[in-house]
Every structure is written in structure tokens, then in C-alpha cells.
Amino acid sequence: MKGWQFVETNKPLELAEKEDPKVDAGKVVIDTKVAGICHSDVGVLRDPGWKALLGDLPVIMGHEVAGVISEVGEGITDYQVGDQVAVCPTGPSGQAPGYAYDGGFGTKVLAPAEDLVKIPDGVSFAQAAAGTDAGMTSYHAAFNKGGIKEGMTVGMIGIGGLGQIALQAAVAKGATVYAVDLNPKARELAKELGAAGVYENVKEIEQFEPEVIVDYAGFGVTTREALETVKFKGKVVLVGMGKLETTLNVTSLITKQATLVGSNGGTKQDIEEIYELFAGGKVSPKITKISFDEIPKGIQMLEDNKVTGRLVADMEK
């Protein structure tokens, strides 16, 4: 098998050839079809703070995995060879592909069966890969942590891979969503996806009294200004990790009696629910495809803010 492995912070990914993984009890071997590429991959490469989340190095990156089972380990009855599956990166095993073990930037992945989610009919491998993190994480933040419901007024910061999915899902569930993004292409996408209005700065939506603001960017100032903007007794959900540290205006937090909640990952059920929205056509994430060989270039594209929607690597492209 081949894979792009992380060796050290601020060093390029290395293309490695390794022995094919040998199946273990309770695990399956997946032939990777599509791997999603995430802004957190940029963080791993650029910020040494991410190394604490990694297992033994070097490790093949890629935490958004979708493919076909080629081997099934002892004791597994729910899955069989040929099943189309994705891997929940925050599943019951507590181990994420691309972090704890070799992930989706490799042509094969050995994954715990307890973390698998079956891909339903009508959902492509590209959608499935995007759904494992961008879908799961955005859905969990918006609906489980944010409590977004029909009739609510909502702000969303960062209409990238995560924000675009959450925006569509919130609109589908009857919320009014105001989108915020510095990128004019992202704002245009937000309009197409049903946003009630699009803005460059979150403070511009204060007039609409958003009950919940979800920060999918997390660049420090975005979170601080979200707290300054949210309605009295409103909630800000922080998901994005654009900056690992920030300073807050505690006056806004206290006088508004606001709630600031962190959200990370989600559950297999979140993935299943977002797949239902995909399969039903209610959510259709904008996806940009590159090839396996272009994965390092793709990460650079993300770092340079040159990707609209979600970026995935098609292993057969």
C-alpha cells in the first residue's frame, strides 16, 4: 500500500510504501475510495501543538475515510467483505484514523469495526468521506450543542467544508440562517444554499438578534465578536480551530448571560443522520476532487484559502 505520512511539524508529507495491513480481531481492512482533506490537516502540519494528538510517528494522515471492506477480522458479524463503509473519527474506540493509526491518505486502512458507519444508497464515496468529519462535526455542533430548531434565527461563521453542510441542514430544518465569511466565493455559495443574508463580519448580523451563533472558523476574533453579537441569553458554539488561543470580551459574556460551548467531533448517529439528509437530497455539499498524488497540494490549497466547499482526494482519479 501507499500513503502520505506525517513525519514532523513544518516538514512536507512523505510518500511511503508499506506492507498491506493485516486484519486483527474486531477490525476490518478498508480499501480507501475517497479521503476527505480538512483544515485541521493544515494545523497538524504547521502547529506543533497538534503533535500531542498524534500516536506513534510517522503516521499516514487522513481522518475522513470512505471505502469498501476487503477483509473482516474475527468476531465481526455486522459487516462483510464488499460493504461500503466510512469511519467515524470520534467513534467508540476513541482512536481516530490519521492520528492514532494510519488513515485515509493511504490506499488501505485497518479500522475498528465499532467505529464503522454503513454508507446508504444514494450517498457517494465523496459525500460519505465529507460526512464523517465535516458532516458529523458541523451537524453535532449546530443541532446537539447549539440546539438549532425550526423557527430559530442563527448565525454561522465560516462557510467552508463544515459551515456549508450545517447551513443547508439548518435551512432544511426550518431555521433562518445568516452567514458570515471573509471569502466572497463562500458568501456567494451561502446565498445559493439558502442563507437569509451574507456578511463579511459577524457584528453585521446583530440587528437580527441571533439566538445561536456557530463559529466554524475559530480565528480568535470571530469567537470574541460572536459573543458581542449574539442575543441576550444566547449561545455561541465554537468548533473551528483556526487559532488555538484567543482573548474574549468577558463583559459581553457576563452582561448578556451568554453561553460559550466548545464542540468537537460527534457520534456515529450524527453521521447516520447527515447521511439521511444527503440521501434525501436535502443537503448536497459542494465538493472539490483531487487525486491521491495531489494530496499535499490540496492541503496547501486549503492553507491558501483557495478551496470552496469540501476538498476530497479520489483515490481512483
Side-chain angles (χ1 to χ4, degrees):
M1 62 167 284
K2 295 189 300 181
W4 290 99
Q5 64 182 17
F6 173 87
V7 178
E8 184 55 75
T9 310
N10 287 317
K11 288 192 176 180
L13 292 181
E14 292 183 357
L15 183 60
E17 287 194 12
K18 306 176 72 168
E19 286 188 17
D20 289 350
K22 293 179 174 59
V23 75
D24 292 332
K27 296 184 179 181
V28 303
V29 175
I30 300 169
D31 291 345
T32 310
K33 296 297 183 184
V34 174
I37 304 173
C38 178
H39 263 289
S40 62
D41 296 324
V42 177
V44 171
L45 283 173
R46 297 288 177 251
D47 188 336
W50 285 85
K51 284 180 68 175
L53 302 177
L54 301 177
D56 294 334
L57 298 180
V59 65
I60 294 173
M61 289 179 62
H63 56 276
E64 302 178 15
V65 182
V68 177
I69 294 176
S70 57
E71 292 184 72
V72 175
E74 184 181 348
I76 297 171
T77 57
D78 294 338
Y79 300 94
Q80 59 188 8
V81 171
D83 282 350
Q84 297 184 4
V85 296
V87 182
C88 177
T90 52
S93 77
Q95 295 187 314
Y99 287 84
Y101 60 91
D102 287 339
F105 294 173
T107 52
K108 289 180 179 287
V109 175
L110 177 65
E114 61 186 323
D115 292 343
L116 300 183
V117 179
K118 288 185 178 178
I119 302 172
D121 292 341
V123 176
S124 69
F125 284 118
Q127 289 176 323
T132 60
D133 185 6
M136 171 192 69
T137 301
S138 61
Y139 187 92
H140 187 78
F143 300 101
N144 291 329
K145 293 288 189 175
I148 294 173
K149 294 179 174 62
E150 181 179 1
M152 292 182 74
T153 300
V154 177
M156 288 189 181
I157 306 171
I159 312 304
L162 277 71
Q164 54 143 337
I165 294 175
L167 193 160
Q168 290 181 75
V171 170
K173 289 177 180 284
T176 300
V177 182
Y178 294 94
V180 179
D181 202 297
L182 290 173
N183 186 331
K185 288 185 178 179
R187 293 197 299 275
E188 190 60 38
L189 175 62
K191 281 184 188 176
E192 294 172 11
L193 299 179
V198 296
Y199 300 89
E200 287 187 49
N201 188 291
V202 68
K203 287 190 171 183
E204 295 177 270
I205 72 169
E206 186 174 8
Q207 58 187 307
F208 306 114
E209 298 187 329
E211 299 158 78
V212 178
I213 299 177
V214 188
D215 185 359
Y216 290 109
F219 277 96
V221 65
T222 54
T223 310
R224 181 173 70 247
E225 291 183 346
L227 278 168
E228 294 167 0
T229 300
V230 74
K231 185 179 179 180
F232 179 69
K233 291 190 175 180
K235 181 184 290 186
V236 174
V237 182
L238 176 57
V239 192
M241 298 175 74
K243 298 287 185 183
L244 297 184
E245 293 183 358
T246 188
T247 302
L248 300 178
N249 179 348
V250 295
T251 303
S252 302
L253 182 65
I254 295 167
T255 60
K256 288 189 173 185
Q257 299 181 46
T259 303
L260 175 61
V261 179
S263 185
N264 178 43
T267 66
K268 289 172 59 171
Q269 184 177 344
D270 292 323
I271 297 177
E272 290 165 355
E273 290 180 12
I274 201 71
Y275 282 176
E276 285 181 18
L277 292 172
F278 288 171
K282 293 181 179 179
V283 175
S284 181
K286 183 175 178 61
I287 290 174
T288 300
K289 289 185 181 180
I290 59 174
S291 69
F292 170 81
D293 292 335
E294 294 174 314
I295 286 174
K297 177 183 174 183
I299 294 175
Q300 187 63 52
M301 288 167 59
L302 280 177
E303 186 171 13
D304 295 338
N305 202 27
K306 292 182 178 178
V307 177
T308 301
R310 197 63 173 179
L311 186 65
V312 303
D314 186 335
M315 304 307 239
E316 298 178 340
K317 185 175 178 183

